Amino acid sequence: MGIKLHGLAMSTNTSRVMVCLHEKDVEFELVPVDVFAGEHKLPPFLSKNPFGLIPALEDDDLTLFESRAITAYLAEKYKETGPDLIRKSDPKEAALVRMWAEVESQTYDPAISPIIFEYLVSPFQDKEPNQSVIDASVEKLKNVLDVYEERLSKTKYLAGDFFSLADLNQMTSTHYFMKTPCAYMINDRPHVKAWWEDISSRPSFQKLVDGLTFGQK
């Protein structure tokens, strides 16, 4: 039946998977989930992800949720197609990919996501941004980006001189972050800025960038 991705194009988690699919040049069907109407909390979607969060991926008899687990699966399944996103043939490089991918999920994302939410999602929901949340997250993000700047002064990408899941998993959230008043935090760090300009110019990302907007429901 081919790959079906249940989610919403404007969602960072759904689009994270879409970038990976495009990198691997894999055809898929995006099945829209109307989260504004609560479809993700209804039995048809809950049968795919019992936690009621998008996205969910169906690949024949396999159903997966959690976007980073999905990108890891796709990178492994299609490792012979497109860029080698997991560097499985080299244990040391593979370990670096996993390490920096963990940094993204455990350190970068928890710092950057509240900033995105307050500046972009709250107004979308007709709420005022919470400045105290923003300020606390900015302090956390400063530390992360300082580490990134040091790392990227030595290697082109986070895990090494090769594009990998460690970079891919950060693309959609960073895109939204660059639309906030805090974008200077990346622009003021030359190596981080060069990294972002590089990965955001990839054809896989450019295919979906127009859908990454909170402009309309």
Side-chain angles (χ1 to χ4, degrees):
M1 69 177 183
I3 289 180
K4 292 185 177 181
L5 179 63
H6 300 261
L8 195 62
M10 66 186 282
S11 150
T12 55
N13 292 329
T14 303
S15 54
R16 177 179 293 118
V17 177
M18 292 171 67
V19 172
C20 191
L21 287 162
H22 288 316
E23 283 285 345
K24 294 299 184 177
D25 199 24
V26 175
E27 292 188 5
F28 66 97
E29 177 187 355
L30 178 62
V31 182
V33 178
D34 190 347
V35 298
F36 304 107
E39 281 187 2
H40 56 310
K41 302 298 184 182
L42 298 177
F45 185 80
L46 291 174
S47 68
K48 300 172 182 63
N49 182 353
F51 295 102
L53 298 170
I54 58 174
L57 179 136
E58 291 182 295
D59 186 7
D60 293 327
D61 61 346
L62 175 68
T63 300
L64 293 174
F65 51 88
E66 294 295 342
S67 62
R68 294 170 184 83
I70 296 171
T71 59
Y73 164 72
L74 294 170
E76 171 65 29
K77 179 176 181 179
Y78 299 103
K79 58 181 176 289
E80 304 300 330
T81 304
D84 182 357
L85 298 172
I86 52 177
R87 313 297 286 189
K88 194 167 185 179
S89 62
D90 187 317
K92 291 183 179 180
E93 290 184 351
L96 287 168
V97 171
R98 289 193 297 270
M99 181 182 75
W100 285 101
E102 283 291 310
V103 171
E104 182 277 325
S105 66
Q106 301 298 318
T107 308
Y108 183 76
D109 188 73
I112 204 171
S113 288
I115 298 171
I116 296 168
F117 185 90
E118 294 302 329
Y119 275 125
L120 301 182
V121 182
S122 288
F124 184 71
Q125 298 176 337
D126 299 320
K127 299 177 182 177
E128 288 293 323
N130 186 325
Q131 192 60 48
S132 64
V133 170
I134 294 170
D135 292 343
S137 295
V138 163
E139 287 304 310
K140 294 177 183 178
L141 187 60
K142 282 179 182 177
N143 296 329
V144 182
L145 291 178
D146 285 344
V147 172
Y148 277 26
E149 181 68 10
E150 173 65 18
R151 173 62 175 172
L152 293 166
S153 71
K154 300 173 181 176
T155 58
K156 186 175 182 180
Y157 301 101
L158 285 171
D161 291 324
F162 49 83
F163 178 76
S164 73
L165 276 188
D167 309 290
L168 183 149
N169 284 345
Q170 316 208 30
M171 294 167 76
T172 55
S173 58
T174 306
H175 166 80
Y176 279 124
F177 177 76
M178 295 303 289
K179 293 181 176 295
T180 75
C182 295
Y184 70 89
M185 297 179 70
I186 285 178
N187 288 329
D188 288 351
R189 292 170 170 83
H191 294 99
V192 178
K193 180 181 180 182
W195 166 77
W196 169 241
E197 290 176 346
D198 181 296
I199 64 175
S200 63
S201 67
R202 295 180 71 86
S204 61
F205 186 72
Q206 290 300 311
K207 285 181 179 180
L208 55 85
V209 70
D210 288 344
L212 292 174
T213 175
F214 286 101
Q216 59 183 21
K217 298 182 181 181

